[in-house]
Amino acid sequence: MPFTVTGAFDDGATYSVQITGRADRPVIGSHRAAALVELHQGGPISLSPTGPLRSVAGNDEATVLAVLREYTHVVDEGPGAPKQARVPG
């Protein structure tokens, strides 16, 4: 189920994207965010601070969101976004 993510890159540029769950177009709304996801396709990403590791795939919404969480500052995740485990402390 598609959901929206809003965030910012390290240089302060903001984005608002829809994560689609489609292999051919996993992110819609920001060419830069789409390029970031494409850059990490096939590589390992942790779904939470404690794991597990999975390979980034365009049709895997959790891994696409994990890339955005890891490499940008995610400000808001819309309804339907996979939840991230929290580490106390």
Side-chain angles (χ1 to χ4, degrees):
M1 178 173 134
F3 58 93
T4 302
V5 175
T6 304
F9 295 96
D10 288 340
D11 64 3
T14 60
Y15 66 87
S16 182
V17 296
Q18 183 179 45
I19 296 179
T20 65
R22 293 176 24 203
D24 63 326
R25 197 161 179 206
V27 176
I28 296 174
S30 165
H31 294 291
R32 193 169 169 190
L36 179 66
V37 171
E38 185 176 331
L39 177 68
H40 293 281
Q41 287 262 8
I45 191 82
S46 181
L47 297 184
S48 74
T50 58
L53 285 178
R54 283 207 323 228
S55 292
V56 177
N59 62 346
D60 184 344
E61 295 171 339
T63 63
V64 171
L65 178 56
V67 168
L68 295 177
R69 286 175 176 159
E70 179 74 22
Y71 297 101
T72 72
H73 176 70
V74 173
V75 177
D76 185 51
E77 299 169 10
K83 299 299 177 206
Q84 181 180 27
R86 304 282 184 223
V87 175

